[in-house]
Amino acid sequence: MDKLIISGGHRLDGEIRISGAKNAALPILAATLLASAPVTVCNLPHLHDITTMIELFGRMGIEPVIDEKLSVEIDPRTIKTLIAPYDLVKTMRASILVLGPMVAHFGQAEVALPGGCAIGSRPVDLHIRGLEALGAIITVEDGYIKAKAPEGGLRGGNFFFDIVSVTGTENILMAATLAKGRTTLENAAREPEIIDLANCLIAMGAKIQGAGTDTIIIDGVEKLGGARYHVMPDRIETGTYLVAAAVTGGRVKLKDTDPTILEAVLSKLQEAGAEITTGDDWIELNMHGKRPKAVSVRTAPYPAFPTDMQAQFIALNALAEGTGTVIETIFENRFMHALEMQRMGAKIQIEGNTAIVTGIPMLKAAPVMATDLRASASLVIAALMTEGDTLIDRIYHIDRGYECIEEKMQLLGAKIRRVPG
């Protein structure tokens, strides 16, 4: 298993390009299964989860065509099997996103119950109940969700999400595009990645209103056509590099990103003392050599502060002036990184879903272990301001969400290298 070794104490300064958003790319790839013609998806990040999704398509009989820029053409008309097997999907929760498109377009699907990060309960019952509201007949047996459309196909319906669910909203939204009649989704997730998915579906011929609000209305169409679609930039990767620069007192300019999709994060960074300037497709952060001030955050569904930035802000507070409180309201086990930071000397007190963090100027290097995707990013940030060399183990988690993290960090001046396990 590969590891990262980071030598702390170096201020970040430079420019990098932000990759396409994994959390937009995966549902958009799944949406290509709805088409009756080839769909080309551009600006895909080079990540393990993306490779797994493309491999899954290959297993189902589709032959993706990949060019040198990692644009992928998917022609679902060659599909041979409607099963997403456990051995492929166990590492990736987003695999469940093929369920709605397959049952809507092909009338049936078998999808293994998904795996992914160990950050708490993420039930699939919303996906199942949402598809049942469109008339799907679903059973769960032998570790698989088995779905069939009724005779004549899915039909429009109304569905209220008891809990705001991003992948749940995406799955039912995709299925509804080919359902007969109108579907209304209430208490839908509002994330920018859902808007991106809806825009891709609209480019394919879908009729969707309200994406980005809590009520989405879909008027089903007979079929969806081909399209060429450019995936949005990754707002969590953007936020992670901004926090990394802030922690070191540095300056970073991030290109090919969008400042309008992480306003809650930019606001908290300004509160921490960062000077932020933005353009249409770039963001620059400059700390002018200053140490950040501690900030308090509370995670909540978009447009509030994202749970996927919580770990990074615990790292910021661990090295900031003062004390900050971080409240996690989305996932119940999402403070495992705090225990690893404590090994580096961080002053973090956990009380239920609250972390109280008192900053110190430098942490001490220690061997630490990544426990999930965003936790691993927070350990990289913490290691940037340590005395000595920090070794981060189990970095396969970070490779699921960050394209070439050591290369991008090196471009900004970090002393970081990957070593084989």
Side-chain angles (χ1 to χ4, degrees):
M1 236 180 261
D2 287 1
K3 300 173 175 59
L4 289 176
I5 297 176
I6 301 169
S7 303
H10 301 277
R11 185 178 296 174
L12 297 191
D13 193 312
E15 299 184 4
I16 56 170
R17 177 190 170 274
I18 292 301
S19 301
K22 180 191 83 159
N23 289 344
L26 289 170
I28 285 170
L29 283 171
T32 65
L33 295 171
L34 292 160
S36 299
V39 177
T40 301
V41 184
C42 311
N43 199 37
L44 289 172
H46 188 54
L47 297 172
H48 182 67
D49 281 7
I50 300 294
T51 307
T52 301
M53 184 70 93
I54 291 169
E55 188 181 345
L56 173 60
F57 285 175
R59 191 78 68 88
M60 293 191 297
I62 298 166
E63 296 183 6
V65 179
I66 306 172
D67 70 16
E68 68 281 357
K69 294 181 179 176
L70 206 69
S71 293
V72 176
E73 182 185 274
I74 307 289
D75 187 348
R77 292 174 297 184
T78 62
I79 199 163
K80 293 182 177 66
T81 176
L82 299 169
I83 300 172
Y86 177 70
D87 66 310
L88 263 186
V89 304
K90 64 184 177 183
T91 62
M92 185 182 69
R93 300 199 66 87
S95 57
I96 197 171
L97 289 168
V98 302
L99 180 65
M102 284 201 295
V103 75
H105 189 187
F106 303 106
Q108 62 185 74
E110 288 186 31
V111 178
L113 290 165
C117 291
I119 56 170
S121 173
R122 298 204 259 187
V124 298
D125 65 306
L126 286 170
H127 301 255
I128 293 170
R129 289 194 288 113
L131 289 171
E132 286 175 338
L134 304 184
I137 301 133
I138 298 182
T139 57
V140 180
E141 53 189 57
D142 304 324
Y144 279 78
I145 304 167
K146 300 181 180 181
K148 281 191 174 180
E151 194 172 338
L154 297 181
R155 56 182 182 270
N158 296 335
F159 187 69
F160 179 88
F161 290 91
D162 296 341
I163 304 165
V164 176
S165 167
V166 174
T167 55
T169 299
E170 290 165 343
N171 226 340
I172 314 311
L173 167 63
M174 289 189 283
T177 60
L178 292 179
K180 290 178 173 59
R182 172 167 284 192
T183 298
T184 302
L185 305 181
E186 296 183 83
N187 200 29
R190 300 162 59 187
E191 271 70 5
E193 292 80 7
I194 287 172
I195 299 173
D196 210 37
L197 170 63
N199 287 339
C200 178
L201 291 165
I202 290 165
M204 293 161 62
K207 295 182 177 177
I208 301 167
Q209 304 169 57
T213 75
D214 61 5
T215 302
I216 304 176
I217 297 169
I218 308 104
D219 288 303
V221 295
E222 194 171 319
K223 67 177 185 175
L224 295 178
R228 184 177 183 87
Y229 194 78
H230 188 91
V231 173
M232 67 178 278
D234 193 316
R235 62 193 172 102
I236 305 303
E237 186 194 26
T238 301
T240 298
Y241 285 109
L242 292 173
V243 171
V247 160
T248 68
R251 180 202 72 89
V252 66
K253 184 174 184 179
L254 306 180
K255 299 177 287 187
D256 294 342
T257 189
D258 181 352
T260 67
I261 56 177
L262 69 166
E263 290 173 347
V265 171
L266 295 181
S267 173
K268 284 296 173 183
L269 285 167
Q270 288 173 317
E271 194 180 317
E275 178 188 314
I276 305 265
T277 50
T278 63
D280 288 343
D281 62 354
W282 59 270
I283 302 172
E284 184 170 321
L285 175 144
N286 197 336
M287 292 298 293
H288 299 286
K290 301 191 307 267
R291 187 176 160 203
K293 301 184 188 77
V295 294
S296 292
V297 300
R298 179 189 182 92
T299 68
Y302 190 86
F305 190 89
T307 181
D308 279 353
M309 285 299 302
Q310 173 258 102
Q312 297 89 316
F313 270 76
I314 285 185
L316 181 144
N317 282 342
L319 289 154
E321 292 179 12
T323 299
T325 301
V326 178
I327 302 172
E328 174 58 60
T329 72
I330 309 291
F331 294 121
E332 69 270 21
N333 320 331
R334 215 172 194 182
F335 283 143
M336 291 184 281
H337 48 278
L339 304 176
E340 297 299 305
M341 284 187 210
Q342 286 170 344
R343 289 166 50 78
M344 302 164 78
K347 296 183 177 179
I348 305 171
Q349 181 181 344
I350 306 294
E351 296 179 4
N353 68 339
T354 301
I356 301 158
V357 189
T358 301
I360 57 177
M362 288 285 279
L363 299 174
K364 296 194 184 310
V368 292
M369 182 175 69
T371 52
D372 66 65
L373 170 53
R374 305 307 171 185
S376 51
S378 73
L379 295 177
V380 170
I381 292 170
L384 294 171
M385 289 298 284
T386 57
E387 297 167 355
D389 292 351
T390 299
L391 186 144
I392 304 177
D393 204 350
R394 292 178 66 184
I395 62 164
Y396 62 86
H397 284 296
I398 208 165
D399 290 336
R400 287 185 45 239
Y402 292 89
E403 183 177 37
C404 308
I405 190 166
E406 70 272 23
E407 294 170 26
K408 290 187 178 184
M409 283 288 188
Q410 286 165 359
L411 286 171
L412 298 176
K415 303 303 177 188
I416 177 172
R417 69 185 192 275
R418 181 182 293 252
V419 294

